[in-house]
Amino acid sequence: MQLKWTEKAVGDLVQLHEFLVVVNPKAAAKIVQSLTAAPEKLFDYPRLGEKLEEFEPREVRRILVGRYEMRYEIQDATIYVLRLWHTREDR
């Protein structure tokens, strides 16, 4: 398996960091590190996350990383990180 981040997911990560770094730079770095490391556990358990039926026939799933939701898609031997956001956001 390989892991790829979509442009939207990278943009979400950058936006999150820019928002948090103003308030607390250490917390911003810690959160970004935990979010970038989280998908690595999917190498061993790619179907760990809850399957989101509304995206059928695509295999889109979600995991929670602290208070953040991360959506990803499994295609063949690749895991694509699609989006991420704080669970308090209205999405």
Side-chain angles (χ1 to χ4, degrees):
M1 293 290 257
Q2 61 177 315
L3 179 69
K4 294 187 178 182
W5 287 69
T6 64
E7 286 184 33
K8 287 186 178 186
V10 172
D12 291 340
L13 199 59
V14 169
Q15 182 180 10
L16 172 66
H17 183 265
E18 288 174 350
F19 176 77
L20 294 174
V21 76
V22 175
V23 179
N24 188 335
K26 287 184 182 181
K30 184 176 178 180
I31 290 168
V32 168
Q33 286 174 345
S34 68
L35 288 169
T36 56
E40 292 181 17
K41 64 184 163 190
L42 298 174
F43 289 132
D44 294 326
Y45 306 102
R47 289 175 175 81
L48 176 69
E50 172 190 0
K51 187 172 183 183
L52 302 174
E53 301 294 334
E54 65 263 28
F55 293 99
E56 286 285 342
R58 295 168 54 201
E59 189 170 358
V60 176
R61 296 176 172 269
R62 74 177 181 162
I63 57 172
L64 295 176
V65 182
R67 294 185 177 186
Y68 295 87
E69 179 172 328
M70 180 177 288
R71 291 194 178 179
Y72 66 97
E73 181 173 6
I74 302 169
Q75 288 183 13
D76 301 319
T78 305
I79 298 170
Y80 293 92
V81 178
L82 302 174
R83 300 296 305 260
L84 60 98
W85 60 85
H86 195 282
T87 55
R88 286 189 176 181
E89 289 183 53
D90 187 24
R91 290 199 188 190

